[in-house]
Amino acid sequence: MKKYIYLIFTFILASSCEVEGLNDTENSFTDSPIGLVLNHSILNVVSIAEAEAARVTSIFSDQFTGVDRQYGTLNGYSTVASNYDALWEDFYQRGITQAQITKTKAIESGNSSVEGQALILEGYYFGEAALLFGDIPFSEVNGESTDPTYEDQKTVINGAIGLLDQGISKVGQLSASNNVFTTDSRWAQIANALKARYYLALKNYANAKESAETANFQSSSNDWAIIHSDANYGENLFWQFEVEQRQDYLKVENSYMSRLLDPTSEIYRGNTKTDESKRFSYYVAENGLSLNTTDGFAAQKESFPVISFEEVQLIIAESSLLNASGDEATALAALNKVRANNAIKFNSQYDAYSMTDFETGGILNKNLNKKDALRLEILLEKYCSVIGLPTYQDVLRTKNLIGVPIKSDDTEIIPQRFLYPLTESSSNSNFPGLIDQFVPTKINQ
Amino acid sequence: MKVERVTEFEIGGDFRFFNDKLSLGLTYYNRLTTDGILEIEVPPSTGYSSIYRNAAEISNKGVEFDFNLNLVNNDSFSANIFGNFTTYKNIVEKLPNVSRYILNGFTSTSSAAVEGAPFAALYGGRYLREANGTIQLDDEGFPLIDDEQGVIGDPNPDYRAGFGAELAYKSLQLSFLFETSQGNDAWAGTQGVLYYFGIHPGTAVESTATSNLNTYGGDVIPAGTTFRGNIADFGGGPVALEESWYRTNGGGFGDLDEQFIKDASWTKLREISLKYSLPDSFLNQIGLKSSEIGISGRNLLLISNFDGVDPEVNLTGASKGRGLDYFSNPGTKSFIVNLKLNF
């Protein structure tokens, strides 16, 4: 008997060091098919364009007003680094990294159209992150480095444009419509429209104009628009935020944009050729304070454009005016295209402007020279038709030419950037140090 | 990954004197946890959010003391008193790669491990300070807030103690136990939220401006005007704390969590009970072997200056995090009446 016990004991001793796979969890998968990862990279665009970053930028640029709880504080520009932790993760972990994984898998399987989509998405994420945060990690992301270094903002934006170019060369005529986005555009058009946005931010007006024209957005059906439905979590994100999650945090109450559109306000934009009352009620609920969640901008099924016909046309308008040739006719034509589109969209009066409207004595002259008056109108039109991140960048780039009111006594400018998140300052040894939100990013210095 | 190791030195004694009438217990311990395994964050720009690492070195040293003294013990009367006392220092000695590790809590205020700070330190938005510690103020005399969060409080007590007695006179027995925790901080999250909504007694007051007072919203309240709110001085002269302050950074949804870190020392009458055993002579007549009737109460008395639900209760329950008060259910107060019959 004793012999057997020894034998068993020896067996246990001998086998105890051969247990393998202790650190493998069969239930945690580490890989996914390429289609799912691509879908994720596409879907994550929603968390950048339509969620917290869109709400915060619209508060900063006073399109909307932060009213309740944390948003009340934010409305006076008070914020701390940790407020941006989640957004940074949306960019890096759930956006850029997934796009890069998709790209790698696409290259491995020789699928160039998926590779092209991944490149465009990667370019979009890097471009938007650099605009908001300034210098950011770029070439060392998702690589060997445990502490990615921060690269110059302009380098990153140009890198993003480079990724978009690479994407364009791979996607061919592929449609950008899928189960997240509704659009008549092809991926190449979307990528060109994004390039136009980033060239504009870099104040490279010639390239901005060229890219915007190449994007060839002819109507709102070209919008790269997020599909929303009445399915749970499929609803418009502003609707979800107001109706389901955080009622009254975000309102239109007394915002600069709402006063520009409100026929009863002293700074109403309307004139003999323009009636803004319908656009006002598109944004503002009947109570005059909240977002319109019934049949307007924040309605349950209202789609949200990540980049729109209006934005692309108004990039053409502004950059035509500002590039070397200073082409006022093209600028006016592009502005009038948007107004014609408004007339249909809001079923309201948006008669075409003529150049005399901007000259001395014209309805839009506002004691400026003709060119400046035209530019101001282009910027104001964009301010009232494009919500969130792109408009915020316009206010920063133009040094607040449209006169967004400052909502705090402690500053004379609106916040110029998002703070770097606490997750990076806490764990990245190459973190460059927190930069105050009132310090302009390099492209706007 | 290496195994997490705990090295502990402990010495103690159990002493008895006067025929066991007095017993004393004393323990000193010094424990060092090295290569503590934590799921700590990595820069999201690496493409990942966290990693398991041998990250922490945590020391914990402390003293525990208890006694029991039998004062009297004869046929009709007995009296016993007892007590205990513990104190410890629990420090995160090393936490490489990250500046903090959040154990539990909110993005605003949390209980975290921070190198050099006590374990589970309260962590959140704080005043922007000069190198010498003075709070930096804006032009109106209100505090500025540091963009980066930091350690704002220590939820570990300076000491905890208990004291109790058991007294018996003939068939009557009385016992009680007091417990106390002194020097522990807590985040008064409940108070912060009530301040925001203006439904806390601290905001339901009127003050009269003694001079022209700035408000956080940029207005001036002229001297002699009565307004709803308080007058405070952050170091730059008196200012008015009214709606524009409480609805933003003066309230619980603002960025200044440090103002709601409060001393949460408490003393509780943990238990008190009174029992009476019916005399045998009476019981025999009705066929009972023994019988006892008693009344006892738990948590009947709480002595604390903490403005919250219950300084002993933590929002995140029995977790590593502690010291967070946020509408948690308080410890229950209970009365128990019992009757024991033995046939």
Side-chain angles (χ1 to χ4, degrees):
Chain A
M1 185 64 196
K2 220 173 195 178
K3 201 160 63 184
Y4 290 115
I5 292 174
Y6 279 133
L7 205 63
I8 291 166
F9 190 59
T10 317
F11 177 74
I12 291 169
L13 270 182
S15 59
S16 63
C17 17
E18 289 170 21
V19 179
E20 283 179 359
L22 270 178
N23 290 319
D24 296 335
T25 319
E26 300 293 334
N27 293 326
S28 323
F29 51 89
T30 52
D31 200 8
S32 272
I34 185 168
L36 293 179
V37 192
L38 173 66
N39 251 349
H40 178 92
S41 329
I42 293 172
L43 184 58
N44 187 64
V45 171
V46 182
S47 0
I48 304 300
E50 198 187 342
E52 180 73 358
R55 296 189 291 263
V56 174
T57 51
S58 67
I59 289 173
F60 286 170
S61 55
D62 208 17
Q63 289 180 305
F64 300 144
T65 310
V67 178
D68 205 357
R69 301 186 212 181
Q70 286 91 342
Y71 273 34
T73 315
L74 196 64
N75 201 52
Y77 312 142
S78 179
T79 186
V80 290
S82 58
N83 289 350
Y84 301 97
D85 289 359
L87 176 66
W88 188 268
E89 273 196 23
D90 284 339
F91 270 121
Y92 277 97
Q93 206 200 339
R94 291 185 271 276
I96 294 164
T97 302
Q98 305 312 319
Q100 290 179 343
I101 292 170
T102 311
K103 180 173 71 178
T104 311
K105 281 173 170 282
I107 293 169
E108 280 167 5
S109 59
N111 188 339
S112 71
S113 76
V114 169
E115 186 191 346
Q117 293 173 63
L119 284 159
I120 292 168
L121 291 162
E122 193 186 347
Y124 166 77
Y125 290 124
F126 273 125
E128 299 297 324
L131 289 181
L132 288 173
F133 290 99
D135 296 355
I136 54 169
F138 178 57
S139 57
E140 293 179 11
V141 173
N142 185 30
E144 294 298 306
S145 171
T146 55
D147 303 89
T149 52
Y150 284 57
E151 291 166 53
D152 178 76
Q153 185 190 28
K154 284 180 193 163
T155 311
V156 179
I157 297 175
N158 282 317
I161 292 170
L163 288 163
L164 292 168
D165 277 330
Q166 285 182 52
I168 292 166
S169 73
K170 306 248 176 205
V171 286
Q173 298 298 308
L174 187 70
S175 162
S177 165
N178 48 42
N179 48 18
V180 177
F181 286 98
T182 170
T183 180
D184 285 350
S185 297
R186 297 182 299 275
W187 272 103
Q189 289 177 274
I190 303 297
N192 274 303
L194 291 171
K195 277 175 62 184
R197 179 189 285 179
Y198 303 143
Y199 277 128
L200 183 74
L202 290 173
K203 300 175 186 141
N204 183 337
Y205 299 111
N207 286 3
K209 178 169 185 264
E210 192 195 329
S211 297
E213 285 172 346
T214 314
N216 194 25
F217 275 36
Q218 289 303 321
S219 72
S220 289
S221 67
N222 284 116
D223 288 5
W224 195 30
I226 299 162
I227 301 169
H228 289 299
S229 68
D230 55 8
N232 203 14
Y233 296 112
E235 308 99 339
N236 178 292
L237 263 69
F238 284 89
W239 183 89
Q240 288 187 38
F241 192 72
E242 169 66 16
V243 175
E244 293 189 332
Q245 297 153 354
R246 305 277 161 167
Q247 192 179 16
D248 291 346
Y249 276 43
L250 186 69
K251 290 187 166 187
V252 197
E253 186 177 349
N254 204 31
S255 77
Y256 189 49
M257 187 185 78
S258 77
R259 287 185 291 131
L260 287 169
L261 298 177
D262 181 356
T264 65
S265 128
E266 285 180 2
I267 58 165
Y268 176 52
R269 266 168 53 75
N271 51 41
T272 51
K273 294 185 173 183
T274 314
D275 176 1
E276 292 283 18
S277 58
K278 294 275 180 58
R279 176 147 63 177
F280 176 71
S281 42
Y282 172 72
Y283 289 115
V284 188
E286 280 178 9
N287 65 14
L289 304 172
S290 306
L291 288 167
N292 180 346
T293 52
T294 51
D295 57 0
F297 168 76
Q300 192 179 26
K301 297 190 216 172
E302 185 75 3
S303 59
F304 181 92
V306 176
I307 189 157
S308 64
F309 167 76
E310 289 91 334
E311 182 179 351
V312 174
Q313 289 302 329
L314 294 167
I315 292 173
I316 294 174
E318 192 188 358
S319 52
S320 301
L321 210 55
L322 296 177
N323 70 15
S325 60
D327 182 353
E328 292 170 5
T330 309
L332 182 62
L335 174 64
N336 280 333
K337 272 193 190 178
V338 172
R339 291 177 59 80
N341 192 64
N342 285 350
I344 301 165
K345 187 172 174 182
F346 302 112
N347 188 23
S348 188
Q349 183 198 13
Y350 289 92
D351 298 345
Y353 284 135
S354 66
M355 207 52 90
T356 49
D357 294 330
F358 301 95
E359 288 165 0
T360 312
I363 49 175
L364 292 163
N365 179 261
K366 297 177 182 172
N367 297 325
L368 297 167
N369 69 45
K370 187 175 65 172
K371 188 177 157 189
D372 288 346
L374 178 54
R375 185 179 182 209
L376 184 63
E377 177 55 27
I378 291 165
L379 288 169
L380 283 167
E381 175 56 43
K382 197 168 167 191
Y383 180 72
C384 296
S385 54
V386 178
I387 298 296
L389 285 77
T391 313
Y392 173 61
Q393 289 304 324
D394 282 345
V395 178
L396 302 185
R397 173 175 55 87
T398 62
K399 304 267 185 284
N400 196 6
L401 207 61
I402 60 169
V404 167
I406 307 303
K407 298 191 270 189
S408 159
D409 293 337
D410 296 330
T411 172
E412 286 166 3
I413 51 174
I414 68 167
Q416 300 287 305
R417 60 168 75 222
F418 282 7
L419 294 175
Y420 287 135
L422 192 59
T423 46
E424 284 281 325
S425 67
S426 169
S427 61
N428 190 340
S429 62
N430 286 317
F431 183 71
L434 204 62
I435 301 173
D436 189 86
Q437 63 174 347
F438 294 108
V439 175
T441 61
K442 287 178 183 165
I443 55 169
N444 294 319
Q445 278 168 4
Chain B
M1 295 261 289
K2 291 182 279 185
V3 282
E4 173 176 329
R5 286 192 190 281
V6 178
T7 319
E8 181 161 359
F9 171 77
E10 182 172 331
I11 187 166
D14 197 356
F15 309 97
R16 284 162 199 259
F17 306 95
F18 316 118
N19 291 331
D20 293 352
K21 280 202 162 114
L22 173 65
S23 64
L24 296 174
L26 188 63
T27 307
Y28 165 82
Y29 62 90
N30 188 345
R31 182 160 58 216
L32 186 68
T33 307
T34 46
D35 295 321
I37 297 175
L38 293 174
E39 186 186 1
I40 61 165
E41 67 192 13
V42 291
S45 54
T46 58
Y48 299 88
S49 58
S50 64
I51 187 172
Y52 281 100
R53 267 201 178 132
N54 293 103
E57 183 174 314
I58 297 161
S59 72
N60 189 8
K61 45 188 124 173
V63 175
E64 292 175 356
F65 167 77
D66 64 86
F67 77 93
N68 189 346
L69 177 62
N70 192 317
L71 290 170
V72 192
N73 195 0
N74 58 37
D75 289 345
S76 60
F77 188 66
S78 77
N80 229 19
I81 58 170
F82 50 87
N84 61 61
F85 174 90
T86 62
T87 179
Y88 63 87
K89 282 269 173 291
N90 195 355
I91 304 288
V92 179
E93 303 287 347
K94 286 181 197 162
L95 188 65
N97 301 310
V98 292
S99 66
R100 53 71 170 116
Y101 170 74
I102 291 181
L103 301 165
N104 250 316
F106 296 98
T107 342
S108 54
T109 313
S110 58
S111 174
V114 180
E115 189 167 291
F119 189 74
L122 296 167
Y123 190 84
R126 53 188 172 162
Y127 296 103
L128 184 65
R129 289 191 162 87
E130 309 276 2
N132 65 11
T134 354
I135 295 173
Q136 292 193 36
L137 305 175
D138 65 12
D139 295 341
E140 280 81 37
F142 283 90
L144 295 170
I145 297 163
D146 201 328
D147 284 338
E148 281 196 82
Q149 297 182 323
V151 173
I152 51 181
D154 178 6
N156 299 291
D158 296 340
Y159 67 88
R160 287 190 69 144
F163 175 79
E166 284 171 353
L167 309 168
Y169 177 69
K170 292 188 175 163
S171 309
L172 205 58
Q173 292 171 41
L174 172 72
S175 68
F176 64 85
L177 174 65
F178 281 98
E179 284 183 358
T180 186
S181 169
Q182 295 294 321
N184 48 308
D185 293 335
W187 171 64
T190 313
Q191 184 190 11
V193 168
L194 299 184
Y195 268 32
Y196 173 86
F197 286 110
I199 50 177
H200 187 280
T203 57
V205 289
E206 288 190 333
S207 307
T208 304
T210 44
S211 55
N212 288 351
L213 298 178
N214 290 320
T215 70
Y216 199 52
D219 297 327
V220 173
I221 294 179
T225 315
T226 300
F227 63 98
R228 182 174 163 175
N230 294 291
I231 298 171
D233 188 346
F234 293 100
V239 290
L241 306 184
E242 38 65 86
E243 187 182 356
S244 68
W245 169 250
Y246 292 117
R247 294 272 291 178
T248 57
N249 280 324
F253 297 106
D255 296 322
L256 190 50
D257 308 306
E258 185 176 345
Q259 66 187 313
F260 296 111
I261 299 298
K262 301 286 164 71
D263 177 28
S265 301
W266 54 264
T267 301
K268 280 188 173 186
L269 176 55
R270 179 67 74 206
E271 183 159 21
I272 181 161
S273 83
L274 185 66
K275 288 180 201 158
Y276 178 67
S277 305
L278 294 174
D280 290 351
S281 53
F282 171 71
L283 292 171
N284 291 339
Q285 290 172 12
I286 54 170
L288 287 175
K289 281 185 186 155
S290 69
S291 167
E292 186 183 272
I293 183 164
I295 178 164
S296 62
R298 284 184 65 80
N299 298 328
L300 295 188
L301 180 69
L302 165 65
I303 303 164
S304 176
N305 290 324
F306 183 69
D307 191 344
V309 177
D310 180 344
E312 195 190 1
V313 172
N314 174 39
L315 169 70
T316 60
S319 64
K320 285 182 193 143
R322 61 192 85 149
L324 303 172
D325 166 74
Y326 197 79
F327 299 96
S328 330
N329 283 341
T332 50
K333 187 187 268 193
S334 56
F335 293 97
I336 300 162
V337 178
N338 59 52
L339 175 68
K340 276 191 211 159
L341 299 173
N342 249 342
F343 297 97

